[in-house]
Amino acid sequence: MTLSLRRIYPSFLVKKFGVVVSEGRMEEIREKWKMFMETGAKPSSVKHTGRGIKPAFHFGIWRRYQSIPFITKDSNSKNENQNVASDAFLMLIRNSFAREIATFTEHYSPKLWAKQKGISSYLSQFQHISCRKALDFQSAFTAVAVKEGNSERIHIDSNDQGITWVLPIGEWEGGNLVFPQLGLEVPLRSGELLGFSANLLAHYCTRIKSGNRLVITMFTCKHIFGDSLLYSELVN
C-alpha cells in the first residue's frame, strides 16, 4: 500500500504568531540548554552543511530508509547524562508550546491536522519510542533541530511535511528569515513563533550582526507522517 503526500499541505505558506513563550520560560529553556551542552554533547552530524556556521543538534523521531521509526543519534547517546539532559530540555519544549502548536495547526489548517493528529498513536506502538515520554510531542511535530546562530545559505527542507515551526530565543541584531520566492523578509524576536512550508519554500537567514541566538526548529518527518496515515487506515 502506498500513499501520496503531495496534496497534504497547510492552508498557509508563512504565518507569524507573535510571542508564545514568557520571559521566565525562555530563561528556563536557556538554562536547560546550557545544562545539556555542559555534558560535552556534540552534534552527531558534524559535517559542515553549508547552511550556517555551526551544525544543529537533531532530537526526536525520524524514519528515512529504515522500515520503522528510530530515535535520532542526538537523542540516543551512549552518554546517559546527555540523554537525561536532552530529555529535560525536550520536556520543557513539550510542556511549553507543543500543545499550543497543535492547537494552531488545528485552528489554521484543520485538514492538515485531521491527517496529522494520529502520529502519537502510531509511534506509541514502538516500545523503544514509547518509553521516552520526552519524545512524544503530542502529534504537533516529531523532531526538533536546535542550533546557536542561523542558517545563512538558501535551502529547502525536503524531508519536512506539513508545517515547520521556528522559535528563536536570545538577544541579537539581524538574523531575519528570508523567503526569496515570496520576496519576503521576516524579522523574528525572542519567543516569537513562525510557521511555514519548509518543503516548498526556499529560505535562509540574514547575518546576525551581534548578540546570541538559540533557534528551535520543530517539524514532522514526511515518512512518519505517511506511515501514520497508513496505520490509521489499517486499524480503523
Side-chain angles (χ1 to χ4, degrees):
M1 182 183 295
T2 59
L3 181 68
S4 174
L5 301 178
R6 292 180 181 178
R7 297 183 180 180
I8 303 175
Y9 295 124
S11 58
F12 58 83
L13 288 175
V14 180
K15 190 171 183 62
K16 186 174 177 179
F17 293 85
V19 176
V20 297
V21 186
S22 68
E23 285 289 343
R25 186 52 59 92
M26 283 191 283
E27 184 59 35
E28 288 184 65
I29 291 172
R30 284 192 291 261
E31 183 60 29
K32 293 296 184 184
W33 181 252
K34 179 182 177 182
M35 292 172 65
F36 170 73
M37 293 300 293
E38 286 175 350
T39 66
K42 303 292 182 183
S44 59
S45 178
V46 297
K47 183 179 179 180
H48 183 66
T49 63
R51 294 183 181 179
I53 298 173
K54 296 182 179 180
F57 287 87
H58 291 88
F59 306 103
I61 312 299
W62 283 358
R63 184 181 76 74
R64 289 181 174 174
Y65 308 109
Q66 294 81 352
S67 59
I68 63 173
F70 66 92
I71 299 174
T72 67
K73 291 181 180 179
D74 291 330
S75 291
N76 200 26
S77 170
K78 295 179 180 179
N79 182 336
E80 188 56 32
N81 289 333
Q82 181 178 324
N83 291 334
V84 171
S86 68
D87 276 8
F89 175 76
L90 295 172
M91 279 297 292
L92 196 52
I93 290 176
R94 180 184 188 273
N95 296 333
S96 297
F97 40 83
R99 185 168 298 173
E100 193 161 11
I101 285 176
T103 300
F104 286 152
T105 306
E106 182 177 19
H107 180 77
Y108 290 100
S109 198
K111 291 183 179 180
L112 173 65
W113 180 247
K115 303 293 186 181
Q116 186 172 324
K117 65 182 180 180
I119 289 175
S120 289
S121 296
Y122 164 68
L123 292 175
S124 67
Q125 68 177 309
F126 301 102
Q127 186 177 4
H128 67 291
I129 294 173
S130 62
C131 67
R132 296 284 294 276
K133 185 178 180 181
L135 304 184
D136 178 8
F137 302 110
Q138 304 173 75
S139 296
F141 43 87
T142 65
V144 179
V146 185
K147 71 180 304 179
E148 297 177 37
N150 62 0
S151 298
E152 298 175 6
R153 297 292 181 88
I154 186 170
H155 64 281
I156 288 177
D157 296 297
S158 59
N159 286 320
D160 293 17
Q161 183 65 43
I163 304 169
T164 297
W165 304 89
V166 176
L167 192 149
I169 292 175
E171 295 182 5
W172 68 91
E173 293 293 332
N176 295 339
L177 189 55
V178 181
F179 301 97
Q181 293 152 294
L182 303 179
L184 181 64
E185 182 172 328
V186 183
L188 282 178
R189 296 298 91 198
S190 188
E192 290 186 333
L193 179 70
L194 184 136
F196 69 103
S197 296
N199 63 343
L200 296 176
L201 294 177
H203 53 281
Y204 70 95
C205 281
T206 60
R207 184 176 61 86
I208 294 178
K209 299 176 182 179
S210 62
N212 296 288
R213 185 175 76 159
L214 183 70
V215 182
I216 302 171
T217 304
M218 298 148 284
F219 59 95
T220 300
C221 168
K222 69 177 182 181
H223 303 292
I224 294 177
F225 192 106
D227 290 346
S228 70
L229 294 183
L230 290 175
Y231 177 76
S232 179
E233 289 184 5
L234 291 172
V235 299
N236 293 324

